[in-house]
Amino acid sequence: MVKFSKELEAQLIPEWKEAFVNYWLLKKHVKKIKLAQKPKQVQNANVDFGLSIFDPVRALVSRISDHFRNAGQNSEVKSKITEGEDDGGEQVYETELVQLFSEEDEVKQFFESLDEELNKVNQFYKTREAEFLKRGKQLNKQLETLNERKQILSDRHRKSLSSKSSAGFTTPSYMSSARNSDYSESPTEYCESPIETPRKEDASATVEKNGVNFVVSPKESKMKKGNPTRAISTITSMLREDVLKNPKKELSPGTDFINRKKNQCAEKMVRGAFVELYRGLGLLKTYSSLNVVAFTKILKKFDKVSNEQASAIYLQVVKRSYFLSSDKVITLMDEVESLFTKHFANNDRKKAMKFLTPHQHKDSHMLTFFVGLFTGCFVTLFSVYGILAHLCGMFSPTTSYMETVYPVFSMFALLSLHLFMYGCNLFLWKSSRINYNFIFEFQPSTALKYRDAFLICTSLMTAVVAAMVIHLVLLSNGFSPQQVDAIPGILLLMFMTLLICPLNVLYRPTRFCFLRVIRNIVFSPFYKVLMVDFFMADQLTSQIPLLRHMESTACYFIAGSFKTHRNEMCKSGKFFRETAYFISFAPYFWRAMQCARRWYDESDTNHLANMGKYVSAMVAAGARLTYAQQPESKLWMAIVLVTSLVATTYQLYWDFVKDWGLLNPKSKNPWLRDDLIVKNKSIYYVSIAFNFVLRVAWLETVMRFHVSPFETRLLDFFLASLEVIRRGHWNFYRLENEHLNNVGKFRAVLAVPLPFRDIDSD
């Protein structure tokens, strides 16, 4: 049977762990009580000098007297558990045990700790409940404004239809009602810029366009309930914006000025906020129930150890306490269900609950089976490939195999290795109860799990190695290289087609999420930067060799080099040098632009300091590329040493202090941090050393090992693989630090922005 302490550890909300009953501390107090009673039992045993025939009678009399004494003591306990208020007016509980346990300090300490935990739970519950109730009121006002706005748009749409039909015009496609829009997307994928709501005095406005004045006034439309001022103000603001942005657009009094997508955006934001509110209320409900069980279990342990019956008395106080007696959370949950069902699910409760309580797919044993199957196939095929390549002499310096085919297969190998490391990260995050779905804002129902990552990795590598084996078999059977070299291109084309496939197969939510994040990275200054965006951008800075291979492969096939089986055009000349610089700079540039955008949004100078890290990395990368083209230059060698040393020192400091939160000299854990998820502290010190060693792998560029072309390719691939492994190792501690920051601020629910501002002021 699993101990309750392990059950509590597995079920509690990680971000609220410090707010739960400290069950482990209370267990220590109970253990102290048990140890304190052992000397008394030994002393009582020393009074008896031998066995007697009256011992059973004495035991019976002692049991009866203990029963009556305990009954009297329980009444004393009941009278001594008092409820009062502190200086801030908050209700507090205090158990006074002066007469009952005046000589037992351990028991007194236990009940003092119990009172502290009960007061802590009550205070946290009240705080979170007040926040959710306030959020619920805000969302009610937002929903009223949204419905009023829909009604106004609907009325304007009907007027537009009637005027257009009388004039003989057709209805544009974008005028369809927002109520019929597709809401199959995630409810938390809300719009980026909130829709401004002007103040009440700006509710009426006159807009002049093409010599015609259009007046928007609150008196234009009468609503069944609620004040339409907020909706009119919003429409006026959006109308003014539309006029300013499109001054040459011809308008008429019957034209619908509101873009349908803006209405959909507002509805999506409100819907996502309702989903997060419902999730937060569910977490608070779980918090209450788990704490009740914890109080019950620890009091039963106390009764068993102390031979007292205080649990029933104290549990009555627990049940009367605020966190258990308040029904506001349940009432608000019912209200959210009702509103969501009515306004976002067309009165279909089953559909509404799919949004409000998305069910995670259970791990299938078939996934594990296929992971093992593809792993075995990969190992077998790779062994066959190694034997065939050796027999065919493909690794000989005289062959062009390493120049033409190697970049394609090494690209897939590095990608598969990164997927494997990500699968390991997912497994470790789950084992450590790091809520990565919340941090990355993934949907739990569609988020990639570690078995899925391993399946993608092993199946991809099996397909790649199978293509490599087929390629060698065809070459050995007399097929010309011009015919056979199309196989890597076909493999790459199939992979790209699968990545952008619109059909709902093969992890479409994950594929589209990946493409969306890549888009945000490439256009980083123009998009608000989320955690998943800069986390993925950091991954790209470790995959520069993969990007170089991708560029080389694209050039090889686009330029038609596979027909001649030569690759001189893509490996020499001005084009090669320029693309090498561009690809080496691009990931660092994107990451620097993300830092600039975050500084612009948050006004935090730390982001500018972080941007300096990526600028120094760009300078170091450029110096190494230039030195590779002029290997005999001592000046460029010195420049490489200086720039790389500065960039590496900068990166190491940011890794350890900022991203990992380590190297704190005042920490209770020497040179680490106060809170550690991994219990074995030595792992952190080993990780620091491991990260340091792999960060200085650039020394190979300066040392210039004299090896054959094949060994050079192998060495480059080995170093690129080490960087991917270092990044996967970095990922765990980076997210661990982010998780602990969320825990420190009790952030367990996403803060969804709302579309209509300044509603309360109206």
Side-chain angles (χ1 to χ4, degrees), residues 81 92 330 348 393 462 465 484 505 650:
I81 302 178
V92 296
I330 298 177
D348 186 348
T462 300
V465 178
V484 177
V505 293
Y650 208 152

Side-chain angles (χ1 to χ4, degrees), residues 247-495:
K248 297 181 180 180
K249 182 179 178 181
E250 184 177 356
L251 299 176
S252 61
T255 303
D256 191 347
F257 302 106
I258 306 302
N259 193 331
R260 182 176 70 94
K261 290 187 177 180
K262 290 188 176 181
N263 199 49
Q264 291 178 353
C265 173
E267 186 166 356
K268 188 184 295 185
M269 293 168 73
V270 175
R271 182 187 62 174
F274 268 108
V275 171
E276 287 302 313
L277 174 62
Y278 190 84
R279 179 175 175 269
L281 294 171
L283 293 178
L284 196 57
K285 185 178 177 182
T286 302
Y287 173 82
S288 175
S289 60
L290 284 177
N291 280 304
V292 171
V293 178
F295 278 118
T296 304
K297 293 288 185 180
I298 200 63
L299 285 169
K300 286 184 178 180
K301 284 183 176 292
F302 170 77
D303 287 350
K304 184 178 180 180
V305 169
S306 64
N307 295 323
E308 302 294 342
Q309 299 299 321
S311 63
I313 307 301
Y314 202 96
L315 278 177
Q316 292 178 7
V317 179
V318 174
K319 291 178 180 178
R320 293 198 306 269
S321 60
Y322 187 84
F323 83 95
L324 191 59
S325 60
S326 176
D327 61 347
K328 294 180 181 179
V329 169
I330 298 177
T331 302
L332 185 56
M333 288 184 72
D334 294 338
E335 183 180 353
V336 170
E337 287 183 17
S338 177
L339 290 174
F340 197 92
T341 302
K342 179 180 179 181
H343 296 284
F344 301 105
N346 295 326
N347 292 319
D348 186 348
R349 189 177 184 278
K350 186 176 180 181
K351 179 182 178 181
M353 296 311 294
K354 287 183 179 179
F355 280 111
L356 295 175
T357 57
H359 297 287
Q360 298 187 24
H361 297 291
K362 295 183 178 179
D363 294 330
S364 172
H365 293 295
M366 291 298 294
L367 282 178
T368 307
F369 168 76
F370 280 113
V371 169
L373 176 64
F374 285 125
T375 301
C377 292
F378 163 69
V379 173
T380 304
L381 289 172
F382 189 78
S383 301
V384 172
Y385 167 77
I387 296 172
L388 288 176
H390 178 71
L391 294 176
C392 297
M394 289 299 168
F395 299 146
S396 173
T398 58
T399 63
S400 60
Y401 181 82
M402 297 298 294
E403 296 291 332
T404 57
V405 180
Y406 162 79
V408 183
F409 293 136
S410 62
M411 177 183 65
F412 282 110
L414 290 174
L415 178 61
S416 300
L417 179 61
H418 213 133
L419 280 172
F420 175 77
M421 294 303 299
Y422 182 65
C424 294
N425 289 145
L426 294 177
F427 175 76
L428 293 174
W429 290 334
K430 181 180 179 181
S431 302
S432 304
R433 291 184 57 77
I434 294 176
N435 195 352
Y436 60 90
N437 285 332
F438 170 70
I439 295 174
F440 290 138
E441 301 184 20
F442 290 157
Q443 287 299 305
S445 57
T446 58
L448 206 66
K449 301 175 179 61
Y450 72 91
R451 286 188 178 89
D452 299 314
F454 288 148
L455 178 62
I456 296 173
C457 165
T458 54
S459 59
L460 176 62
M461 280 309 300
T462 300
V464 171
V465 178
M468 294 167 67
V469 171
I470 294 173
H471 182 269
L472 287 182
V473 169
L474 293 179
L475 279 178
S476 61
N477 287 334
F479 286 84
S480 65
Q482 291 80 4
Q483 296 173 325
V484 177
D485 282 356
I487 293 178
I490 295 173
L491 182 65
L492 181 60
L493 183 63
M494 291 174 59
F495 175 78

Side-chain angles (χ1 to χ4, degrees), residues 429 436 438-442 517 528-538 591 594 598 730-731 734-739 742:
W429 290 334
Y436 60 90
F438 170 70
I439 295 174
F440 290 138
E441 301 184 20
F442 290 157
V517 170
K528 183 178 177 64
V529 182
L530 303 178
M531 173 70 185
V532 66
D533 296 333
F534 67 77
F535 189 85
M536 178 61 73
D538 279 326
R591 191 66 185 90
Q594 287 182 335
R598 293 189 70 188
W730 177 91
N731 288 343
R734 177 64 182 88
L735 219 66
E736 178 200 27
N737 192 34
E738 186 71 22
H739 173 77
N742 288 334

Side-chain angles (χ1 to χ4, degrees), residues 60 196 228 249 271-272 369 381 429 477 495 558 572 590 712 732 743 747 760:
L60 179 61
E196 299 280 353
K249 182 179 178 181
R271 182 187 62 174
F369 168 76
L381 289 172
W429 290 334
N477 287 334
F495 175 78
I558 293 175
S572 62
W590 294 330
T712 301
F732 174 81
V743 170
R747 292 184 299 195
D760 294 335

Side-chain angles (χ1 to χ4, degrees), residues 646-663:
V646 171
T648 302
T649 304
Y650 208 152
Q651 291 165 351
L652 287 172
Y653 167 79
W654 209 269
D655 284 347
F656 299 147
V657 178
K658 297 295 185 179
D659 291 338
W660 291 4
L662 303 177
L663 299 185

Side-chain angles (χ1 to χ4, degrees), residues 491-560:
L491 182 65
L492 181 60
L493 183 63
M494 291 174 59
F495 175 78
M496 298 301 297
T497 303
L498 179 62
L499 183 62
I500 63 176
C501 176
L503 301 179
N504 191 14
V505 293
L506 299 175
Y507 304 102
R508 186 182 71 169
T510 300
R511 291 188 283 109
F512 279 24
C513 178
F514 173 77
L515 294 174
R516 184 168 57 250
V517 170
I518 293 297
R519 178 205 63 187
N520 295 348
I521 292 173
V522 174
F523 301 100
S524 51
F526 309 107
Y527 285 93
K528 183 178 177 64
V529 182
L530 303 178
M531 173 70 185
V532 66
D533 296 333
F534 67 77
F535 189 85
M536 178 61 73
D538 279 326
Q539 311 304 307
L540 292 181
T541 60
S542 294
Q543 283 287 16
I544 292 177
L546 182 147
L547 299 177
R548 294 284 302 274
H549 291 324
M550 187 179 297
E551 174 268 332
S552 176
T553 302
C555 178
Y556 180 73
F557 287 103
I558 293 175

Side-chain angles (χ1 to χ4, degrees), residues 570-624:
C570 300
K571 290 298 179 182
S572 62
K574 184 178 178 181
F575 174 79
F576 170 73
R577 290 194 299 269
E578 291 178 351
T579 55
Y581 280 106
F582 173 77
I583 292 173
S584 299
F585 288 168
Y588 297 117
F589 174 78
W590 294 330
R591 191 66 185 90
M593 291 299 99
Q594 287 182 335
C595 294
R597 175 58 191 262
R598 293 189 70 188
W599 169 77
Y600 176 80
D601 292 337
E602 304 172 19
S603 300
D604 188 354
T605 55
N606 283 325
H607 297 311
L608 290 180
N610 195 17
M611 183 175 69
K613 180 186 71 172
Y614 295 103
V615 172
S616 67
M618 291 173 61
V619 174
R624 286 197 288 267

